[in-house]
Amino acid sequence: MQSNLFELFRSRFPADRSRPFIEVPGGATLSYGELEAASARYAHVLTGAGVKPGDRVAVQVDKSAEAVVLYLACVRAGAILLPLNTAYQSDELEYFLSDAVPAAVVCQPHRLSELEALAVKAGIVTCVLTLGAKGDGTLPERAKGQSPEFPTTSRGGDDIAAILYSSGTTGRPKGAMMSHTNLASNSLTLHRLWGFRPDDVLLHCLPIFHTHGLFVAINCVLLNGTAMIFCPKFDAEQAIGLLERATVFMGVPTFYTRLVASSRLTPSACRHMRLFISGSAPLLEETFNTFAAKTGHTILERYGMTEGGMFTSNPLIGDRRAGTVGFPLPDVDLRITGEEGQVLPDGEVGIIEVKGPNIFKGYWNMPEKTKAEFTEDGFFKSGDVGVIDDRGYVSIVGRAKDLIISGGYNVYPKEVEDAIDRMDGVVESAVVGMPHPDFGEAGLAVVVAPTDSGLTPDGVIADLRGRLANYKVPKQVVLVSDLPRNAMGKVQKNVLRETYAAMWKNGL
Ligand code: MCA
Ligand code: AMP
């Protein structure tokens, strides 16, 4: 049976293919017909370059209509999309390329030589293409002479459509393998649950190299066969101006705190809107309430992970409760377990475990790690600490994993600590998440170094900037002579958070 995700989308495209799919503010519009033809052309370029079904295609490009075409071209060709954050630096990219061994790499023109060198270093025979501006080597240029028809590659439901990397608590990034069925099932569920309508227009301001902007947002639009206004990045004032042409908005909590800070956010600015959705990080009750007071809209908060898309959602119709992430999706089994793995009754706090058709197929090249993350009866251990109340609403009350979520991006302290520890003069370090008014949380690095090491806080930050994606770089660094430890020798991060709370001026 043909389970290629593209065929599901195509079955939902509007009969009138001249209808718009992507509208870039102040830029071009891409119709569904153009999407179909362009993704076929891109698929021909990829297969012509030797990409075969199951091959990985690493993509590190700015947000654009062409990037969405490329996503669908990979799916059509039966290749595995490997989207990479544009903020990733060479050291980070080197790992992804050597681990995933892609058959093709698509990047921005200004990073071509860097990516080519990395591909050679990773020892992979690969084709490196660029997206964007004109030039013989660019994918859009090469696509010009290609046929607008492409027979969609047959895929089974369990075949992998995408691999998304996250760093993980051990510091070594792991690639979550999402199958065609994983992506299709979650998108269909969300599209139905959030009541998408034939006249919906999504205002899309999220980055498209992570699950939220790529799969949650774009896939709902593709299933709806309607348009999205596609902003290259989030700008609160621009977004408010565009709301009058939109009906649905999806954002991380930072988007909402920036929106409510504007005097232009009024009921009138939102008069055509029917749904505001938030996720990727906890939405403060204060933001929920201020947003409701300023617009008359209650934000719908949902919860999920790269490893399975969305797990829960507040209701479309009914009580959207601040501080909760709503109910498990209809096709997701969600339970709370205790330290011995026993299932806890409602009202008790424990680890959130999930099971369903959306849960990923495992970590690329890491069978042992995959095994460790699942229970014997097939539930995925999220690492989030939660509770279910007497009405069935799930709340996230903490994290068992050492993770900072900053502006919706995950920062694993272990990865940042490893980078700091490699610096000359550093004995050891600990990175903790501190409250941040804009990003929710942000990193503080406590670095142990002898007084004659020559290290300075600014020097540590400057060094990290070249080696880590910018959002992972701690906002503040303090140099100390030792770290507090418990009787087991483990660094007491809670003590560090308390100790430095007074000097932490919002990370600024
Ligand atoms: C930018 N900076 C950040 C962040 N973003 N620092 C900490 N955390 C961040 N998230 C820093 C930059 O390094 C720079 O610092 C300065 O802020 C300004 O950078 P700029 O690019 O101008 O920032 P911005 O455009 O205002 O970006 C902030 C943002 C962006 C709009 C909130 O981070 C964003 O779009 N976040 C969304 C992330 C997302 O989509 N997550 C979903 C993951 P300097 O000047 O010092 O260099 S998927 C997921 O989590 C699951 C599945 C789920 O449930 O959805
Ligand atoms: P990622 O690994 O980027 O997919 O991030 C997933 C993590 O984001 C989850 O494990 C949660 O810790 C967090 N998360 C996502 N949505 C929410 C939410 N609505 N509230 C609190 N945390 C969330």
Side-chain angles (χ1 to χ4, degrees):
M1 203 182 103
Q2 170 60 295
S3 297
N4 189 307
L5 182 63
F6 180 78
E7 288 307 309
L8 169 66
F9 292 145
R10 182 160 39 197
S11 71
R12 305 295 198 94
F13 285 179
D16 175 1
R17 295 288 210 264
S18 68
R19 298 276 296 274
F21 167 49
I22 292 179
E23 293 175 29
V24 179
T29 295
L30 185 84
S31 69
Y32 275 90
E34 287 164 333
L35 172 69
E36 217 171 353
S39 60
R41 293 192 175 102
Y42 280 25
H44 279 298
V45 176
L46 293 174
T47 53
V51 173
K52 294 184 289 304
D55 279 351
R56 279 74 57 213
V57 177
V59 175
Q60 192 195 32
V61 297
D62 287 337
K63 184 176 176 181
S64 67
E66 289 76 22
V68 181
V69 171
L70 178 56
Y71 156 41
L72 291 179
C74 289
V75 176
R76 290 186 84 166
I80 298 175
L81 178 77
L82 169 51
L84 295 166
N85 194 321
T86 46
Y88 290 149
Q89 303 291 318
S90 277
D91 286 0
E92 292 159 306
L93 294 172
E94 190 178 340
Y95 174 84
F96 299 130
L97 297 192
S98 60
D99 191 54
V101 202
V105 178
V106 186
C107 67
Q108 290 300 118
H110 72 277
R111 295 190 77 170
L112 178 61
S113 52
E114 179 190 355
L115 267 298
E116 278 177 335
L118 287 172
V120 171
K121 204 167 166 189
I124 50 179
V125 180
T126 193
C127 133
V128 185
L129 297 159
T130 62
L131 199 63
K134 296 180 182 62
D136 286 347
T138 75
L139 181 48
E141 262 330 287
R142 286 212 207 173
K144 274 188 182 153
Q146 304 289 340
S147 163
E149 312 280 337
F150 182 90
T152 300
T153 304
S154 183
R155 294 279 84 187
D158 283 344
D159 285 330
I160 306 306
I163 297 179
L164 293 103
Y165 275 88
S166 67
S167 298
T169 45
T170 57
R172 192 174 157 221
K174 44 200 198 318
M177 299 187 288
M178 298 298 290
S179 71
H180 288 258
T181 292
N182 289 154
L183 297 177
S185 68
N186 207 236
S187 311
L188 285 165
T189 300
L190 297 176
H191 177 263
R192 184 168 48 82
L193 214 65
W194 292 340
F196 271 85
R197 300 176 185 170
D199 60 349
D200 269 333
V201 176
L202 178 92
L203 176 55
H204 192 302
C205 302
L206 289 155
I208 56 167
F209 26 66
H210 296 297
T211 296
H212 195 165
L214 182 60
F215 298 139
V216 181
I218 294 178
N219 289 1
C220 277
V221 174
L222 286 165
L223 285 179
N224 210 43
T226 52
M228 60 181 168
I229 304 170
F230 209 55
C231 298
K233 63 183 283 193
F234 176 71
D235 174 272
E237 295 303 321
Q238 182 194 35
I240 293 171
L242 292 168
L243 282 177
E244 67 170 349
R245 292 176 43 216
T247 59
V248 181
F249 180 75
M250 296 184 191
V252 298
T254 299
F255 287 15
Y256 288 101
T257 48
R258 291 186 185 182
L259 287 174
V260 296
S262 170
S263 58
R264 290 175 58 228
L265 185 75
T266 59
S268 163
C270 304
R271 64 192 178 282
H272 300 304
M273 289 296 295
R274 70 168 185 87
L275 189 57
F276 287 93
I277 301 173
S278 175
S280 306
L283 181 73
L284 291 179
E285 212 164 321
E286 186 194 331
T287 313
F288 178 95
N289 290 334
T290 314
F291 194 87
K294 288 192 78 164
T295 65
H297 286 271
T298 50
I299 299 169
L300 179 153
E301 187 171 3
R302 85 325 175 259
Y303 152 67
M305 271 179 87
T306 301
E307 283 87 340
M310 297 302 101
F311 303 163
T312 73
S313 173
N314 265 281
L316 179 68
I317 296 161
D319 200 6
R320 294 179 200 157
R321 300 182 65 188
T324 82
V325 292
F327 306 111
L329 301 184
D331 51 357
V332 173
D333 263 347
L334 184 147
R335 68 188 188 190
I336 307 288
T337 57
E339 281 182 8
E340 311 297 322
Q342 76 280 23
V343 179
L344 298 175
D346 288 355
E348 288 193 27
V349 171
I351 297 290
I352 297 176
E353 293 184 351
V354 281
K355 189 179 186 177
N358 52 326
I359 302 302
F360 75 131
K361 295 286 157 199
Y363 294 113
W364 172 258
N365 269 344
M366 290 187 182
E368 292 305 315
K369 180 79 190 152
T370 302
K371 205 166 160 229
E373 298 296 318
F374 283 88
T375 63
E376 274 181 10
D377 56 349
F379 278 76
F380 171 63
K381 305 173 198 169
S382 73
D384 290 309
V385 178
V387 61
I388 304 177
D389 72 13
D390 54 358
R391 290 173 62 192
Y393 285 82
V394 178
S395 294
I396 308 214
V397 298
R399 290 175 211 134
K401 47 196 172 189
D402 191 13
L403 163 70
I404 300 168
I405 304 185
S406 186
Y409 285 137
N410 286 7
V411 181
Y412 283 90
K414 178 79 171 80
E415 188 187 6
V416 184
E417 290 158 4
D418 284 350
I420 297 174
D421 294 351
R422 281 197 294 273
M423 288 178 203
D424 284 345
V426 170
V427 177
E428 61 172 343
S429 61
V431 172
V432 291
M434 301 292 277
H436 193 280
D438 188 29
F439 297 128
E441 285 181 293
L444 163 75
V446 184
V447 180
V448 178
T451 42
D452 61 355
S453 66
L455 286 171
T456 62
D458 285 349
V460 172
I461 288 178
D463 189 305
L464 288 177
R465 274 184 196 282
R467 295 193 286 135
L468 292 177
N470 57 9
Y471 63 88
K472 297 180 190 169
V473 177
K475 301 290 177 207
Q476 267 184 36
V477 172
V478 282
L479 298 173
V480 297
S481 54
D482 52 24
L483 295 172
R485 292 183 185 279
N486 65 14
M488 312 289 288
K490 198 169 172 321
V491 175
Q492 293 171 301
K493 292 201 164 179
N494 54 333
V495 172
L496 290 176
R497 273 186 287 268
E498 283 161 24
T499 307
Y500 294 104
M503 60 137 279
W504 172 257
K505 306 249 181 335
N506 294 332
L508 303 172

